[in-house]
Amino acid sequence: MDVSFLAPVFQAAGPYATVTADVTHVTENADTELDLRVRAIAEELAEQGAPEAVVEAVRGRLLEGNDGGEAGTIRGRAVVVAADGTVVLDSQLADAPRQELAEWSPQPDLLPVLRALPGRVPHVVVLTDRTGADLTLFSTPGQVEEEETVKGDTFQIRKFQGGGWAHHRYQHNAENKWVHNADDVAEHIASVVRRVHPRFVLLAGDMRARQILTDRASDLWADLIVSIDEGGRAAGADREPVEQKAAELVAEHEARDEADAVEKISSAGAHGLAVTGTANVVEALRKAQVETLVLADPADDEKLLVGASPLELGVDQADMDALGVQEVHSVPAERALLAAAVASTAGVVVVPRAAMPGDIPVAAILRYTDDSTPTPQ
């Protein structure tokens, strides 16, 4: 997973309030229930020493469901607030969290957030008809990144059912307009695909429009298409089947990514392009060798030492002395490793502990090797 969206979190000054909360808002007494849940979270943060500005920032975001609008449809929400009260992460979760988190700490606790984020696979949803399409890009985890409407030519867009000398001309004219409109939509999709490299393009809506659009798809994205009969573009059309199918496809890609990461630990490791174990991964992160950091869930209770920057990282004081770092902090290993991955633009995959070979807590797939990289045994 691309975790670059977490960069603003680590660019802010800590400590941090990290919150994952149930903000479900569907019962008759939803306002009162949400207010009570948020009050408990606020009190917990205050008891841990969070300043009033931080507590109020958390409270304000979580209570947005009581104001109606889209926030009232969210079931789970993750919020991270920096020491000055700035909200540095605010994301919808896939569902109400299994275990709520409210923590005021020197480093944000982001592993529970990553586990619960929806839409961690970039994808495009296209609702199409014969006049154009609505395109929605999901790139940042759990959030709609872009929405765009492509409007085509609607004059004489329908085929005539009657006869007469002009019948075939009108029929041909309508078909040409459908194709022209599909070409416009296809160009917009191609532009998004070039920029974002989505994993799939989900097509829903009018069957004939989907057929034409599929035929007009370029090689750039033709193999990404998943087409479904459910859902439509018209006002009032049920979007739930489209959302459900998109969620299923995201889950399939995530499971595939986890399996691929575990397989690469062995296959890349045979060629020296993967390392396992905390000490080896720490060294690779310091040198920006890591392409993908693979974290086991649940993590060990291991600690690492960190200096002023996330890449000033070590397993013991000897490491920090070698780096010339004077001021060090002891940090839970998974938090330090995640921060270093973000700082070095590495991807991150979280996999069940049981799936990790040899019950290792962490591994890394490498961009390159050097003379100090451990050799395969």
Side-chain angles (χ1 to χ4, degrees), residues 128-171:
T128 187
D129 60 20
R130 300 175 203 191
T131 70
D134 298 323
L135 278 62
T136 306
L137 166 64
F138 297 85
S139 179
T140 301
Q143 298 180 15
V144 173
E145 189 77 7
E146 296 178 14
E147 291 182 305
E148 182 179 8
T149 296
V150 182
K151 295 181 179 179
D153 188 356
T154 60
F155 181 66
Q156 292 183 350
I157 198 69
R158 297 185 180 279
K159 288 187 177 182
F160 286 88
Q161 300 301 315
W165 63 271
H167 173 72
H168 293 295
R169 179 167 64 86
Y170 285 131
Q171 295 280 81

Side-chain angles (χ1 to χ4, degrees), residues 235-259:
D238 186 6
R239 302 293 174 91
E240 185 175 351
V242 180
E243 294 171 357
Q244 182 176 344
K245 182 62 177 179
E248 291 172 359
L249 291 170
V250 166
E252 290 174 10
H253 280 275
E254 288 178 341
R256 196 175 307 153
D257 287 347
E258 291 178 8

Side-chain angles (χ1 to χ4, degrees), residues 205-278:
D206 178 84
M207 181 177 68
R208 181 63 180 136
R210 284 187 283 119
Q211 291 172 341
I212 297 173
L213 184 55
T214 300
D215 291 340
R216 312 304 288 181
S218 68
D219 293 341
L220 183 67
W221 59 281
D223 291 340
L224 303 178
I225 295 173
V226 178
S227 185
I228 61 172
D229 295 331
E230 298 87 351
R233 190 183 180 207
D238 186 6
R239 302 293 174 91
E240 185 175 351
V242 180
E243 294 171 357
Q244 182 176 344
K245 182 62 177 179
E248 291 172 359
L249 291 170
V250 166
E252 290 174 10
H253 280 275
E254 288 178 341
R256 196 175 307 153
D257 287 347
E258 291 178 8
D260 287 348
V262 171
E263 191 277 331
K264 281 183 180 179
I265 293 170
S266 299
S267 61
H271 302 283
L273 281 169
V275 293
T276 60
T278 304

Side-chain angles (χ1 to χ4, degrees), residues 95-114:
D95 204 342
R98 286 174 294 179
Q99 184 172 0
E100 290 190 316
L101 171 69
E103 181 180 298
W104 174 247
S105 57
Q107 297 80 31
D109 187 7
L110 294 174
L111 199 57
V113 175
L114 290 184

Side-chain angles (χ1 to χ4, degrees), residues 33-317:
E33 292 171 356
L34 180 56
D35 184 69
L36 290 173
R37 289 197 297 271
V38 172
R39 185 182 304 175
I41 289 170
E43 290 174 354
E44 189 171 348
L45 290 173
E47 288 173 0
Q48 295 175 47
E52 185 177 352
V54 170
V55 174
E56 287 305 311
V58 170
R59 190 201 313 273
R61 291 300 175 100
L62 297 183
L63 284 176
E64 285 180 351
N66 283 352
D67 296 328
E70 185 179 354
T73 67
I74 298 173
R75 295 182 60 83
R77 194 164 188 169
V79 177
V80 180
V81 180
D84 64 356
T86 301
V87 178
V88 291
L89 179 70
D90 182 1
S91 187
Q92 177 179 344
L93 302 180
D95 204 342
R98 286 174 294 179
Q99 184 172 0
E100 290 190 316
L101 171 69
E103 181 180 298
W104 174 247
S105 57
Q107 297 80 31
D109 187 7
L110 294 174
L111 199 57
V113 175
L114 290 184
R115 287 197 300 260
L117 284 178
R120 289 177 279 179
V121 174
H123 61 279
V124 181
V125 175
V126 181
L127 300 177
T128 187
D129 60 20
R130 300 175 203 191
T131 70
D134 298 323
L135 278 62
T136 306
L137 166 64
F138 297 85
S139 179
T140 301
Q143 298 180 15
V144 173
E145 189 77 7
E146 296 178 14
E147 291 182 305
E148 182 179 8
T149 296
V150 182
K151 295 181 179 179
D153 188 356
T154 60
F155 181 66
Q156 292 183 350
I157 198 69
R158 297 185 180 279
K159 288 187 177 182
F160 286 88
Q161 300 301 315
W165 63 271
H167 173 72
H168 293 295
R169 179 167 64 86
Y170 285 131
Q171 295 280 81
H172 183 68
N173 188 49
E175 187 78 24
N176 282 345
K177 281 185 169 55
W178 298 348
V179 172
H180 175 74
N181 291 342
D183 280 337
D184 285 347
V185 175
E187 289 177 8
H188 281 78
I189 295 174
S191 176
V192 172
V193 170
R194 277 191 290 268
R195 287 189 293 108
V196 182
H197 307 293
R199 304 286 291 280
F200 63 87
V201 176
L202 179 60
L203 295 185
D206 178 84
M207 181 177 68
R208 181 63 180 136
R210 284 187 283 119
Q211 291 172 341
I212 297 173
L213 184 55
T214 300
D215 291 340
R216 312 304 288 181
S218 68
D219 293 341
L220 183 67
W221 59 281
D223 291 340
L224 303 178
I225 295 173
V226 178
S227 185
I228 61 172
D229 295 331
E230 298 87 351
R233 190 183 180 207
D238 186 6
R239 302 293 174 91
E240 185 175 351
V242 180
E243 294 171 357
Q244 182 176 344
K245 182 62 177 179
E248 291 172 359
L249 291 170
V250 166
E252 290 174 10
H253 280 275
E254 288 178 341
R256 196 175 307 153
D257 287 347
E258 291 178 8
D260 287 348
V262 171
E263 191 277 331
K264 281 183 180 179
I265 293 170
S266 299
S267 61
H271 302 283
L273 281 169
V275 293
T276 60
T278 304
N280 290 333
V281 171
V282 164
E283 183 178 359
L285 282 167
R286 282 199 303 255
K287 296 185 291 185
Q289 285 180 285
V290 177
E291 178 180 281
T292 304
L293 175 68
V294 186
L295 294 172
D297 178 31
D300 284 344
D301 293 331
E302 194 173 8
K303 301 275 188 167
L304 290 175
L305 299 179
V306 180
S309 81
L311 296 180
E312 293 179 344
L313 185 67
V315 295
D316 54 30
Q317 188 59 46

